[in-house]
Amino acid sequence: MTPLPRKSKLRITMEKYIERVKNKIINSEIIDASGVFDPIPSREQIRDKLSKPPIDILDRTFRVIKVEDLGGYKVFIQIPGEKTEYDFFVWRALFKNNNLIDLKIPSHDDLGRMYLNLKRKHGILNEYLINATLRFIRDRWPLNKVLERYFSSLPEELVNDVKKFLLTLKWIAIQEDANYPPPNLGSVYSLSVYAILEITGDLSAIRKIIRFGGR
């Protein structure tokens, strides 16, 4: 008999929490902190900023906090209630007519796919998405400054797609910096994924980096 594939840690986490997170969202039992941290605080300041309202991450009570709102696309963070003092989970949610239609914890694969799909949509995105990603995550530019610098001539629909990618990656980066503050790599580790994607255009490269990094 062929053995069943082992579930990834991400899949196990999603299965463990998805119903509780979904119920919080559907019942509007969330904290609204939309747009918090723009620009993203420095890597050295992340833990301190997360410890203050509206997130109060040191309060480990199970909570779901809306941190980005793009209408039909929203980003939430979930305080697990049981993990280490600065850890949290990032969820992205899709809505149609204000109804929740999809909810998941985005993986590096998911974000890598978003990145590559964006690059295929327009020559400007193909040329400048890596620059925008680095400026936003590494250099901590405000979102509007990034959009105006690189994408001011793009149609609104494509700019919204860029926002979805960058604002989801923002919280993955913050999560990495909270868990692995300097002198650890933190979000620098995440950015290496996009540098490799820029060179190879190959999603399998992400999996190799993740295995090599042990995270």
Side-chain angles (χ1 to χ4, degrees):
M1 179 182 294
T2 303
L4 294 174
R6 285 173 38 178
K7 292 182 181 178
S8 67
K9 289 182 180 179
L10 182 63
R11 175 61 61 184
I12 293 170
T13 299
M14 283 183 57
E15 290 179 354
K16 180 177 181 179
Y17 291 111
I18 191 167
E19 289 304 319
R20 293 179 70 189
V21 173
K22 184 185 297 183
N23 287 337
K24 287 281 189 183
I25 295 171
I26 291 173
N27 295 322
S28 298
E29 296 174 350
I30 61 169
I31 298 166
D32 191 347
S34 302
V36 71
F37 300 162
D38 185 28
I40 305 170
S42 70
R43 297 188 61 228
E44 292 78 11
Q45 294 177 322
I46 284 292
R47 286 190 166 192
D48 179 61
K49 296 294 185 182
L50 286 171
S51 300
K52 293 179 169 57
I55 293 177
D56 294 323
I57 199 155
L58 295 181
D59 175 1
R60 303 309 292 169
T61 307
F62 185 94
R63 290 172 292 142
V64 177
I65 304 170
K66 181 172 67 176
V67 290
E68 307 294 344
D69 191 339
L70 295 172
Y73 186 101
K74 307 183 197 299
V75 180
F76 297 87
I77 64 171
Q78 169 214 338
I79 311 299
E82 60 203 45
K83 294 198 75 176
T84 56
E85 60 182 358
Y86 288 99
D87 202 11
F88 59 88
F89 298 122
V90 180
W91 296 80
R92 72 102 181 98
L94 304 181
F95 293 80
K96 186 174 182 179
N97 299 325
N98 294 320
N99 295 315
L100 179 64
I101 60 172
D102 191 56
L103 180 67
K104 72 178 299 186
I105 297 176
S107 67
H108 284 291
D109 260 24
D110 294 325
L111 287 168
R113 195 171 295 109
M114 289 178 72
Y115 180 86
L116 292 177
N117 286 340
L118 274 172
K119 284 172 62 67
R120 296 184 188 109
K121 289 184 175 183
H122 199 286
I124 288 176
L125 289 168
N126 185 55
E127 182 74 19
Y128 293 113
L129 189 56
I130 186 63
N131 301 61
T133 302
L134 291 172
R135 291 300 189 191
F136 187 58
I137 302 298
R138 182 193 66 189
D139 300 340
R140 273 32 184 185
W141 280 19
L143 179 63
N144 282 342
K145 182 177 179 180
V146 172
L147 298 177
E148 290 171 6
R149 171 65 178 83
Y150 295 107
F151 307 124
S152 60
S153 64
L154 287 181
E156 183 178 356
E157 181 181 355
L158 289 182
V159 173
N160 284 337
D161 287 343
V162 172
K163 288 180 181 179
K164 291 173 187 177
F165 168 70
L166 289 178
L167 292 177
T168 309
L169 181 60
K170 166 184 173 178
W171 287 95
I172 299 296
I174 290 172
Q175 181 188 49
E176 292 278 6
D177 285 334
N179 285 325
Y180 306 97
N184 299 294
L185 289 177
S187 59
V188 177
Y189 173 86
S190 297
L191 283 174
S192 68
V193 166
Y194 302 95
I196 296 297
L197 278 181
E198 191 68 19
I199 295 167
T200 67
D202 183 2
L203 272 175
S204 66
I206 295 180
R207 301 175 193 113
K208 294 173 184 176
I209 292 171
I210 300 303
R211 285 198 299 270
F212 180 78
R215 305 202 329 241

